[in-house]
Amino acid sequence: MLAIVAFAMTADAQETRLMPFEMPDQFENLHSEREFAGRVVVFLGSGRKGSKFNESWGRALAGELAGAVRDGDLQIVGFAHLRGVPSFLSGSVRKRFPQKPEEWALLDWKGFFARTYGRTKGAANLYAFDRSGRLIHRLGVREVDRKQLDDVVATLHKALATGDETEP
């Protein structure tokens, strides 16, 4: 019972579509939901306490789905939940992220993902969307678990196999 509670998302998140957003990365480039249109996308991120799980999950997903990532059909996008960080610390926070342009991450200063889709504190939060922008998987994860990884990968393979069909 405790494990179920630990991985539950907050109950107030009801959205099942990729909602419009504009968010900077650590280089202050703005990104929006529009750049992911027509692709399967996984947003993977956390607050400070869950950040230690992001890299292992990102590597595991990228390894299992290397062909789709390489072909551009799947994009795995990192994000950081930074709501509550004082604005005067924003510069030093940005400097803690990778400084290679290809390793950009969304800086979620306003808590968009947590507010919109729910959040598991102290965990990496994974939100997967199909090509039409429909939320197909939402999960709070800690250590890479084979069953959880297989479930996410199966969902993503199914979404990738559907081509670019959209919901009616």
Side-chain angles (χ1 to χ4, degrees):
M1 179 72 156
L2 181 59
I4 294 169
V5 173
F7 291 106
M9 294 285 185
T10 54
D12 60 343
Q14 301 297 315
E15 288 303 329
T16 59
R17 309 276 319 152
L18 182 55
M19 301 302 292
F21 70 85
E22 255 190 9
M23 207 174 293
D25 61 23
Q26 69 267 41
F27 306 107
E28 299 188 50
N29 298 314
L30 279 181
H31 300 273
S32 77
E33 82 291 345
R34 293 179 299 280
E35 69 190 84
F36 308 108
R39 281 193 252 169
V40 177
V41 63
V42 174
F43 294 98
L44 177 66
S46 66
R48 186 177 48 82
K49 291 181 181 176
S51 64
K52 61 186 170 190
F53 306 113
N54 294 333
E55 188 176 339
S56 59
W57 270 91
R59 273 195 320 266
L61 287 170
E64 294 284 327
L65 299 154
V69 171
R70 183 183 54 250
D71 294 343
D73 292 327
L74 172 70
Q75 188 163 1
I76 301 170
V77 179
F79 75 89
H81 175 77
L82 299 169
R83 185 171 183 211
V85 174
S87 60
F88 70 89
L89 293 176
S90 64
S92 63
V93 167
R94 268 195 297 278
K95 289 178 185 174
R96 291 184 182 184
F97 287 85
Q99 296 304 302
K100 295 179 182 176
E102 65 274 10
E103 296 179 12
W104 61 272
L106 295 172
L107 303 184
D108 189 358
W109 297 105
K110 296 179 181 178
F112 167 80
F113 287 104
R115 209 176 52 251
T116 308
Y117 305 107
R119 173 177 173 234
T120 301
K121 293 181 180 181
N125 291 271
L126 181 149
Y127 313 101
F129 297 85
D130 67 11
R131 295 176 197 276
S132 68
R134 184 174 55 96
L135 181 65
I136 56 173
H137 211 96
R138 174 177 47 205
L139 188 63
V141 292
R142 292 193 171 91
E143 299 298 332
V144 176
D145 172 89
R146 189 74 233 177
K147 178 163 179 6
Q148 288 178 318
L149 180 60
D150 288 347
D151 288 348
V152 173
V153 168
T155 300
L156 292 170
H157 275 301
K158 185 177 177 184
L160 289 162
T162 62
D164 49 15
E165 300 168 7
T166 57
E167 288 185 318

